[in-house]
């Protein structure tokens, strides 16, 4: 069986039919919640706190959470042109890799003329709500030309709650 590939929005859409993809995402997300229950057993709400696996792979974890919630990923073709409107995750600017810092940049991108820029405020608000429900901290920023994006990271690790 092939390894599950998350849809980060930074590349093409993972292969497979829609129904099969939805089932694979659902299974992967249930696995993520099970990891949280096992690894965060000392937390007041084990499913409400990112597990260590997510902290080490925040782009994958964030993309899985968004896709599982029904938020569409963006996509590009082989030449790097946007072909679909949706979320796109990567390392936050100036942080190196998201795996090293835990900070993920979430953008709402689409092909030219798609209106993605106009939809970004509401779409990113929805993305932030999904990620916050799962224990991530999400702040909205505006970059060059008022381009909206989120910076998302897990909360600081504190002592276990009993």
């Amino acid at each position: 069986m092939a390894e599950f590939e998350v849809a980060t929005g930074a590349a093409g859409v993972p292969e497979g039919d829609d129904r099969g993809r939805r089932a694979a995402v659902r299974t992967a997300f249930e696995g993520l919640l099970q990891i949280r229950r096992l690894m965060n057993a000392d937390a007041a709400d084990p499913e409400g706190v990112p597990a260590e696996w997510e902290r080490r792979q925040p782009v994958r974890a964030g993309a899985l959470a968004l896709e599982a919630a029904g938020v569409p990923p963006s996509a590009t073709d082989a030449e790097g042109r946007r072909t679909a409107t949706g979320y796109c995750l990567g390392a936050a600017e100036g942080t190196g890799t998201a795996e090293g810092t835990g900070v993920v940049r979430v953008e709402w991108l689409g092909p030219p003329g798609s209106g993605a820029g106009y939809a970004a405020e509401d779409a990113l608000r929805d993305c932030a709500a999904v990620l916050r429900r799962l224990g991530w901290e999400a702040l909205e920023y505006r970059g060059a030309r008022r381009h909206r994006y989120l910076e998302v990271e897990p909360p600081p690790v504190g002592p276990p709650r009993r």
Side-chain angles (χ1 to χ4, degrees):
M1 180 175 200
E3 180 181 329
F4 177 76
E5 182 181 345
V6 297
T8 64
V13 177
E15 292 186 25
D17 63 74
D18 285 343
R19 194 168 74 212
R21 176 69 187 175
R22 284 192 303 272
V25 168
R26 192 171 40 254
T27 299
F29 187 69
E30 286 302 319
L32 182 140
L33 293 178
Q34 182 63 22
I35 289 170
R36 282 180 168 208
R37 286 189 291 270
L38 293 170
M39 302 306 292
N40 296 332
D42 291 339
D45 176 14
E47 289 186 9
V49 181
E52 187 59 33
W53 174 87
E54 295 169 89
R55 292 172 182 278
R56 288 193 314 266
Q57 299 185 56
V59 171
R60 289 180 53 85
L64 177 58
L66 291 173
E67 190 174 4
V71 181
S74 184
T76 61
D77 63 15
E79 286 77 40
R81 293 182 298 249
R82 290 268 155 222
T83 59
T85 300
Y87 65 79
C88 182
L89 279 74
E93 285 184 22
T95 63
T97 65
E99 285 72 17
T101 64
V103 182
V104 176
R105 182 178 175 124
V106 180
E107 299 177 88
W108 193 258
L109 303 175
S114 67
Y118 295 109
E121 181 176 9
D122 290 338
L124 289 172
R125 187 177 301 124
D126 292 344
C127 291
V130 166
L131 295 167
R132 285 180 182 134
R133 279 193 303 270
L134 291 167
W136 295 87
E137 296 177 353
L139 297 173
E140 183 179 327
Y141 294 95
R142 286 191 181 189
R145 298 188 313 223
R146 303 177 54 83
H147 176 78
R148 294 174 185 272
Y149 63 94
L150 301 175
E151 284 196 357
V152 179
E153 63 185 320
V157 177
R161 295 186 208 163
R162 300 239 181 226

